[in-house]
Amino acid sequence: MTDSMKKVKQILSSATVDIYFDASFNLLTKLVDKKNAVIVTDENIFSKHRSKFKNWNVIILKPGEQFKIQLTADAIIEQLIEFQADRSTILIGVGGGVVTDLTGYVASIYMRGIQCGFVPTTLLAMVDASIGGKNGVDVGAYKNLVGSIRQPAFLLYDYSMLNTLSDMEWSNGFAEIIKHACIFDARLFELLRKNSLAKIKKDKKLLASIVEKNVALKIAVVKKDEFEKGDRKLLNFGHTLGHALETQYDLTHGQAVALGMVFAAWLSEKLLGLQKSSEMIQVLSQYKLPTIASFDAERVFNILVMDKKRVNNTMNFILLNKIGKGVVHPLKLNQLQKFILTYTELHK
Ligand code: ADP
Ligand code: ZN
């Protein structure tokens, strides 16, 4: 346990989530009974942090979004049966968003639901994926089509896990952090603008404060709107087009979301008179994220219409009134199709 560690209790859908910031992985031994716990992780994390997993029951997955599918959930369930896991077993997801999504999903269905906890090991999982209780698997081209909402019993943040993270994964996490800043927090946006990826990676205190700020932002929204009727929709900023691009092209989630945010900012200029979208583009490139996309409008639109945010022929698109203020803007599908066509023409 580190001196600066702090514990925060949050109540989400009447479940208490204990959050341990700046904690050490070994705190797990105090939180759960090793014999009654099963860790789910992936090959990369296991091989880079092997000693941490000693004497734990571990299920090791193949890494990557392509394995975030029902087949993997079934394989986890089979191993749980081999471990003779019962209703009192706690499942602990140690990994990025793929691992925590699969862990939460399996925990919500195994024996009609067992407890779970998360140790997010990517920046993205720390600030986004592991918070809010949404879990699930992809089905074909459709991301997170099947899943549930289930809150973990705890979240443990060991920032030293990030020492082994690749540059690309750091950028991925910053895509969500920049997203949070754009929709909720102009001050956070300024902080990001004045800093850089390299600087934040080196400054552990700054990193910790940015992570904690983003966790607080996301929790505040989820608390207010656990079932995505209002403000939580704003978290989809950049994600409607982003998800469609991600499934059709060789892009990471963060890269796809960055491109989605650039498109949404362009649309915000057109529809809401957003100014300074160039600042957002500048910040994205400061955090090594792409800002220019050329893509097949028709192909991407056909995927986009399957988005869960669509209601009949209207899509609730997230736009910006200004930096720090996101809004839900209903767009008719044919309108959206035209905008996407115009945008792709501009970027040929
Ligand atoms: P996400 O980016 O949604 O959090 P993943 O779970 O797919 O998604 O993780 C991204 C990649 O980073 C995977 O290849 C995973 O194995 C790897 N990874 C996760 N955490 C770490 C870590 N702490 N150090 C090194 N690699 C990691
Ligand atoms: Zn995202």
Side-chain angles (χ1 to χ4, degrees), residues 152 181 301 343:
F301 181 77
Y343 186 80

PDB file of all heavy atoms in Angstrom, residues 152 181 301 343:
ATOM      1  N   PRO A 152     -19.050  -3.123 -10.422  1.00  0.00           N
ATOM      2  CA  PRO A 152     -18.057  -3.914  -9.697  1.00  0.00           C
ATOM      3  C   PRO A 152     -18.099  -3.557  -8.205  1.00  0.00           C
ATOM      4  O   PRO A 152     -18.537  -2.466  -7.840  1.00  0.00           O
ATOM      5  CB  PRO A 152     -16.729  -3.465 -10.314  1.00  0.00           C
ATOM      6  CG  PRO A 152     -16.982  -2.072 -10.781  1.00  0.00           C
ATOM      7  CD  PRO A 152     -18.441  -2.028 -11.198  1.00  0.00           C
ATOM      8  N   ALA A 181     -13.052  16.284 -21.421  1.00  0.00           N
ATOM      9  CA  ALA A 181     -12.772  17.726 -21.352  1.00  0.00           C
ATOM     10  C   ALA A 181     -13.692  18.492 -22.306  1.00  0.00           C
ATOM     11  O   ALA A 181     -14.277  19.513 -21.932  1.00  0.00           O
ATOM     12  CB  ALA A 181     -11.304  17.988 -21.690  1.00  0.00           C
ATOM     13  N   PHE A 301     -21.722   4.684 -43.210  1.00  0.00           N
ATOM     14  CA  PHE A 301     -23.096   5.037 -42.849  1.00  0.00           C
ATOM     15  C   PHE A 301     -23.942   3.780 -42.593  1.00  0.00           C
ATOM     16  O   PHE A 301     -24.737   3.731 -41.661  1.00  0.00           O
ATOM     17  CB  PHE A 301     -23.731   5.912 -43.935  1.00  0.00           C
ATOM     18  CG  PHE A 301     -25.137   6.322 -43.592  1.00  0.00           C
ATOM     19  CD1 PHE A 301     -25.370   7.337 -42.676  1.00  0.00           C
ATOM     20  CD2 PHE A 301     -26.225   5.675 -44.159  1.00  0.00           C
ATOM     21  CE1 PHE A 301     -26.664   7.700 -42.326  1.00  0.00           C
ATOM     22  CE2 PHE A 301     -27.522   6.028 -43.820  1.00  0.00           C
ATOM     23  CZ  PHE A 301     -27.735   7.047 -42.911  1.00  0.00           C
ATOM     24  N   TYR A 343     -18.668  15.716 -45.831  1.00  0.00           N
ATOM     25  CA  TYR A 343     -17.412  15.658 -45.072  1.00  0.00           C
ATOM     26  C   TYR A 343     -16.379  14.816 -45.812  1.00  0.00           C
ATOM     27  O   TYR A 343     -15.218  15.197 -45.931  1.00  0.00           O
ATOM     28  CB  TYR A 343     -17.690  15.089 -43.694  1.00  0.00           C
ATOM     29  CG  TYR A 343     -16.497  15.118 -42.764  1.00  0.00           C
ATOM     30  CD1 TYR A 343     -16.129  16.284 -42.099  1.00  0.00           C
ATOM     31  CD2 TYR A 343     -15.735  13.960 -42.548  1.00  0.00           C
ATOM     32  CE1 TYR A 343     -15.038  16.310 -41.246  1.00  0.00           C
ATOM     33  CE2 TYR A 343     -14.650  13.980 -41.685  1.00  0.00           C
ATOM     34  CZ  TYR A 343     -14.306  15.151 -41.038  1.00  0.00           C
ATOM     35  OH  TYR A 343     -13.222  15.172 -40.192  1.00  0.00           O
TER      36      TYR A 343
END
